[in-house]
């Protein structure tokens, strides 16, 4: 799911308008374990949410900073414009 890129930009297969600098796709834990940026993982979960995806959203939302929330809202708005998560993300969205 992360193998599409144009230059230094990751490009979503779902819609090429959804992009992120490659260097922002991943993070590293304090113990050195790499992981996918939470906003990107939630973007993938937003297409067809299940109970565990809702739980993940609830757990992660308070930890997302304003730019991550805005990116997630903008990305979800492209693929699922009526997604219920948008109401929680929209105060910082650029859409």
């Amino acid at each position: 799911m992360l193998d599409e890129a144009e230059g230094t930009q990751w490009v979503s297969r779902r819609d090429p308008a959804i992009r992120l600098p490659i260097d922002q796709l991943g993070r590293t834990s304090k113990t050195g374990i790499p992981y996918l940026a939470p906003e990107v993982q939630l973007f993938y979960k937003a297409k067809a949410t299940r109970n565990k995806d809702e739980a993940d959203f609830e757990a992660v939302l308070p930890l997302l900073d304003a730019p991550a929330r805005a990116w997630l809202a903008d990305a979800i708005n492209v693929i699922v414009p009526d997604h219920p998560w948008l109401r929680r993300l929209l105060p910082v969205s650029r859409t």
Side-chain angles (χ1 to χ4, degrees), residues 11-82:
V11 180
S12 171
R13 289 183 187 177
R14 292 185 179 164
D15 189 302
I18 301 169
R19 297 167 175 258
L20 194 66
I22 290 172
D23 64 357
Q24 293 180 24
L25 276 179
R27 311 270 167 74
T28 305
S29 73
K30 291 178 183 180
T31 59
I33 299 170
Y35 63 96
L36 186 61
E39 62 272 21
V40 176
Q41 187 65 53
L42 287 172
F43 163 71
Y44 280 103
K45 289 173 169 273
K47 185 176 179 183
T49 55
R50 303 161 293 181
N51 286 339
K52 66 182 185 174
D53 302 324
E54 294 291 342
D56 289 344
F57 179 76
E58 290 296 326
V60 172
L61 183 62
L63 305 174
L64 295 178
D65 61 15
R69 284 179 179 225
W71 181 89
L72 179 57
D74 293 345
I76 291 174
N77 192 51
V78 170
I79 60 162
V80 189
D82 61 344

Side-chain angles (χ1 to χ4, degrees), residues 2-15:
L2 299 175
D3 58 354
E4 302 295 321
E6 288 182 12
T8 61
Q9 293 281 313
W10 164 75
V11 180
S12 171
R13 289 183 187 177
R14 292 185 179 164
D15 189 302

